[in-house]
Amino acid sequence: MTTFELFFDLVYVFALTQVTAFMAHAHSGTGVLRGVLLLALLWWSWSAYAWLGNQARADLGMLRAGMGLAMAGVFVVALAVPEAWHDAPGGLNGPLVLAGAYLFVRCVHLVVYGLLARGGRELVRQVVVSWPPVLAGAGLLLAGAAIGGGVQTVLFTAAIALDWGVVYATSRRGGWRIHSAPYFAERYELFVIIALGESLTALGVGAAELPVSLSLLAAAALGVGAAMALWWLYFDVVTLVARRRLHQAGSEDRLALAAGAYGVGHFPVVAGIVLTALGVEGVVGHAGSGHGLGWFSAGALCGGAALYLGGLLLFGRLAVNVWGPFRLVALVVVAAWTPAAAALPPLAALAGVVVVLAVLAAVETWWFAELRHRVRA
């Protein structure tokens, strides 16, 4: 992996922060749904360039030029996020700018991929097959942006489903190539780190302009503990086994594993981290309050943690054909904690989630000690 790719990822750090702020400002279930749709657009565009970076060095030639253009496009998408559904007075139409910039990012990806694929018949065919769903999805995005409101939400959902569905179906046994399995796995692991970094940023945003107090310090400590537990559950064992599986797989099995476990299976992991961060931000912002956390922040906190655990279950099933019974139990427990979290003071609500995640991490550390040692050796 090159330093240019790390530089490329920085625009996504800003974009994730914008999406979290968008959901926090909306403070409603509809706002969260729309935020998840925006997150899906960002994830799919980033994933596309992770595949492209496996085709050639990202810091050389046309690939560097293409990714540079894509960075500008993603930054425009991130700037337009606050106006994704409601255009602000004056200036350009925010929803149309967002949809147009996203289309630009996706088209640059396919153009560069097509140029790099010259001489490889199967890869050229795969790029050609990918154009129709991208353009059709872009048409739905532009139409939704022009109409606005609930129709925009429906059309954005349809656009994502179309793009993801067709590309995924044609990629599992298609002409894409994963030249370096370790590189590919590392890119996706890095995006999880980016999402975790955004969760710490959200922690700081929630504490902004608040006086330093014991309750604020306790909330900050619990927030860092939650981020640490999320990191532990992803990186301690499952990524090691999945990376080895990807490396040992044949070309067709490697494609199916990459498209499923990484391309699609990682999205709920990332979305879960972002939603958990949204909940933690709400806790920190009201740490000294004697009132209950409330349903919005409790739903984001517990629902995000549950979605994260569900994403890990899906990733484990697709990557190594294993369901994690401990994680399934923890998912049920943390989801069931939501009503109590809504009624309890913010610190108690967050502490309950951190305890569940920490206990799960401790149990898995003990249970998989031998497997971890074998894989690392």
Side-chain angles (χ1 to χ4, degrees):
M1 185 165 55
T2 65
T3 55
F4 183 75
E5 287 163 292
L6 298 177
F7 179 52
F8 175 80
D9 290 343
L10 291 179
V11 293
Y12 284 90
V13 176
F14 173 58
L16 293 186
T17 302
Q18 288 283 83
V19 171
T20 304
F22 173 88
M23 293 188 288
H25 178 75
H27 207 77
S28 65
T30 301
V32 170
L33 172 61
R34 291 172 175 176
V36 171
L37 292 176
L38 294 173
L39 183 60
L41 294 176
L42 292 170
W43 169 255
W44 202 237
S45 66
W46 178 89
S47 186
Y49 282 89
W51 284 72
L52 180 59
N54 208 279
Q55 185 68 25
R57 283 187 61 92
D59 58 346
L60 297 175
M62 71 176 71
L63 185 48
R64 179 167 61 178
M67 291 182 69
L69 291 173
M71 284 179 67
V74 174
F75 199 82
V76 172
V77 170
L79 288 175
V81 162
E83 300 181 41
W85 262 262
H86 301 287
D87 181 43
L92 301 174
N93 184 285
L96 286 175
V97 168
L98 185 144
Y102 176 77
L103 172 60
F104 172 77
V105 172
R106 296 288 279 120
C107 287
V108 168
H109 166 258
L110 289 179
V111 168
V112 175
Y113 226 132
L115 293 174
L116 292 174
R118 289 177 298 180
R121 178 186 297 180
E122 290 186 2
L123 188 54
V124 169
R125 176 183 175 278
Q126 187 66 58
V127 173
V128 171
V129 168
S130 298
W131 273 104
V134 169
L135 295 178
L140 292 173
L141 290 176
L142 291 170
I147 297 172
V151 175
Q152 180 181 350
T153 304
V154 172
L155 291 179
F156 269 41
T157 304
I160 293 168
L162 175 64
D163 193 0
W164 285 36
V166 176
V167 172
Y168 174 73
T170 58
S171 296
R172 284 175 53 85
R173 305 293 176 186
W176 304 116
R177 291 292 177 264
I178 304 296
H179 295 293
S180 172
Y183 163 89
F184 187 85
E186 185 180 8
R187 289 294 288 142
Y188 280 84
E189 292 164 12
L190 180 61
F191 200 90
V192 174
I193 290 290
I194 290 171
L196 289 171
E198 194 283 328
S199 72
L200 295 177
T201 301
L203 182 65
V205 169
E209 300 182 4
L210 293 176
V212 176
S213 62
L214 289 176
S215 58
L216 180 62
L217 295 178
L222 287 170
V224 172
M228 179 65 183
L230 296 177
W231 175 90
W232 197 296
L233 292 171
Y234 178 82
F235 284 98
D236 191 49
V237 177
V238 66
T239 53
L240 301 176
V241 179
R243 184 187 289 204
R244 185 175 68 172
R245 172 80 186 281
L246 185 68
H247 178 69
Q248 294 175 342
S251 58
E252 288 193 359
D253 290 339
R254 180 180 289 183
L255 276 181
L257 182 58
Y262 287 92
V264 175
H266 265 60
F267 177 68
V269 172
V270 172
I273 294 173
V274 173
L275 289 175
T276 303
L278 176 64
V280 170
E281 182 179 337
V283 169
V284 174
H286 302 87
S289 170
H291 303 293
L293 178 59
W295 281 101
F296 177 78
S297 293
L301 177 65
C302 299
L307 180 60
Y308 178 78
L309 293 172
L312 291 181
L313 285 169
L314 178 62
F315 177 50
R317 177 66 179 82
L318 293 173
V320 294
N321 198 30
V322 171
W323 288 108
F326 301 129
R327 297 182 177 197
L328 182 59
V329 171
L331 187 158
V332 173
V333 172
V334 79
W337 179 248
T338 306
L344 287 171
L347 288 178
L350 178 55
V353 173
V354 172
V355 167
V356 173
L357 296 176
V359 169
L360 174 60
V363 170
E364 289 195 343
T365 298
W366 168 74
W367 186 265
F368 295 112
E370 183 180 348
L371 173 63
R372 184 189 311 103
H373 176 73
R374 263 200 334 266
V375 173
R376 288 181 175 175

